[in-house]
Amino acid sequence: MPGAQLVSRIGLVLRTVSEHPEGISSTALAHATGLTRPTAHRLLASLAAEGFVDHDRPAGRWLLGPELYLLGSLAADRYDITALARESVELLARETGESAFLSARRGAETVCLLREEGSFPLRSFVLAEGVRFPLGVASAGLAILSYLPEEEADAYLAEHAAGLEARWGSAHAEPALRERMATTRETGYAVNPALILEGSWGMGAAVFDAAGRPAWALSLTGVESRYRADRRPELGRLLLAEAHALTRRLASPTRARP
């Protein structure tokens, strides 16, 4: 349907702009989305007229606009858990020295909502606020995928596994993903052994909503030497403890509002 296709394209454009806090050119956006440059520019101009994006003309870059801030403020009371999660993210960064994150599931992806730097001077910059990964790629998405109902996880893999393998390599083929999912369910936490960026490891634990579904994840990232086999169980225990604590806070009927 033409109307549905337009909405899909607008969503794609906004998500792509959101992944570039410093702004993105229309040429780069067209390349990232697969749209033609004239189509990308027309959509950006229309969104700017409604206040959904801003155009930094001297720099030639597009950024998210003020209308999205207003809409987001209204939606925050229902969807934003960063105020409740900040304590856990800060504790993980402080106790481990690694960079700590909160990510949320959005359909077939996770999006990073919150980042806290650790004290260790060598860091991984794979993840930052606004960065998205497909479920099963980063440790946060693997943790969430591993705890989805079996039928839902099977449907996701049937639809996306071939694309994941094509883009992210054979380590993301369906058999390899299923093996890591099984290991995640055994230990409770997911491990990404430098599958996105060489030398950059990650670990994640799922956070569950009131219905018992994995909707968010806490994660840690850092350089490979910090994720030795003898240290990973301790990092996993810390992740699980904070994921459970955050799940309990979210389930509390008297939980603090952001």
Side-chain angles (χ1 to χ4, degrees):
M1 296 174 61
Q5 183 185 50
L6 177 60
V7 171
S8 178
R9 287 181 172 181
I10 289 172
L12 178 61
V13 167
L14 290 174
R15 286 193 296 271
T16 304
V17 173
S18 75
E19 293 170 2
H20 298 80
E22 75 288 355
I24 184 172
S25 69
S26 55
T27 300
L29 185 136
H31 178 75
T33 58
L35 300 171
T36 66
R37 189 179 181 281
T39 297
H41 185 81
R42 283 197 300 271
L43 289 173
L44 287 166
S46 297
L47 289 167
E50 298 296 330
F52 293 118
V53 298
D54 271 341
H55 189 201
D56 182 348
R57 294 183 182 278
R61 292 178 175 271
W62 299 85
L63 305 100
L64 295 181
E67 191 64 28
L68 286 179
Y69 168 77
L70 297 174
L71 294 176
S73 298
L74 295 172
D77 190 54
R78 180 176 182 184
Y79 294 105
D80 183 20
I81 72 162
T82 54
L84 289 173
R86 192 173 301 277
E87 177 184 348
S88 291
V89 174
E90 290 177 350
L91 184 147
L92 286 168
R94 183 172 63 251
E95 293 294 319
T96 66
E98 312 301 325
S99 297
F101 307 86
L102 170 73
S103 297
R105 181 188 178 190
R106 288 292 295 125
E109 300 177 314
T110 57
V111 56
C112 179
L113 303 179
L114 192 61
R115 174 181 178 131
E116 182 70 23
E117 297 291 0
S119 59
F120 190 70
L122 295 180
R123 296 168 183 165
S124 167
F125 293 94
V126 170
L127 198 56
E129 289 94 335
V131 172
R132 295 169 181 261
F133 283 109
L135 294 180
V137 175
S139 60
L142 178 59
I144 290 173
L145 178 62
S146 299
Y147 283 97
L148 287 177
E150 185 176 357
E151 290 184 0
E152 189 173 347
D154 288 346
Y156 172 82
L157 291 172
E159 181 176 355
H160 297 283
L164 294 177
E165 182 180 6
R167 181 174 179 185
W168 301 98
S170 59
H172 294 90
E174 185 171 344
L177 271 176
R178 287 192 179 277
E179 183 176 344
R180 287 200 297 280
M181 290 165 64
T183 301
T184 298
R185 289 190 292 269
E186 287 179 15
T187 61
Y189 55 85
V191 178
N192 176 9
L195 298 178
I196 298 175
L197 180 66
E198 184 177 357
S200 177
W201 281 56
M203 295 178 62
V207 176
F208 297 84
D209 63 18
R213 293 177 56 82
W216 305 274
L218 295 171
S219 61
L220 297 165
T221 68
V223 295
E224 185 173 0
S225 61
R226 300 279 289 175
Y227 289 77
R228 304 179 309 271
D230 61 334
R231 190 180 184 228
R232 290 199 295 271
E234 177 59 23
L235 295 176
R237 283 191 290 271
L238 286 169
L239 276 166
L240 287 172
E242 290 309 309
H244 293 161
L246 181 53
T247 296
R248 289 194 298 270
R249 289 200 294 273
L250 289 166
S252 171
T254 60
R255 77 184 199 188
R257 288 291 184 181

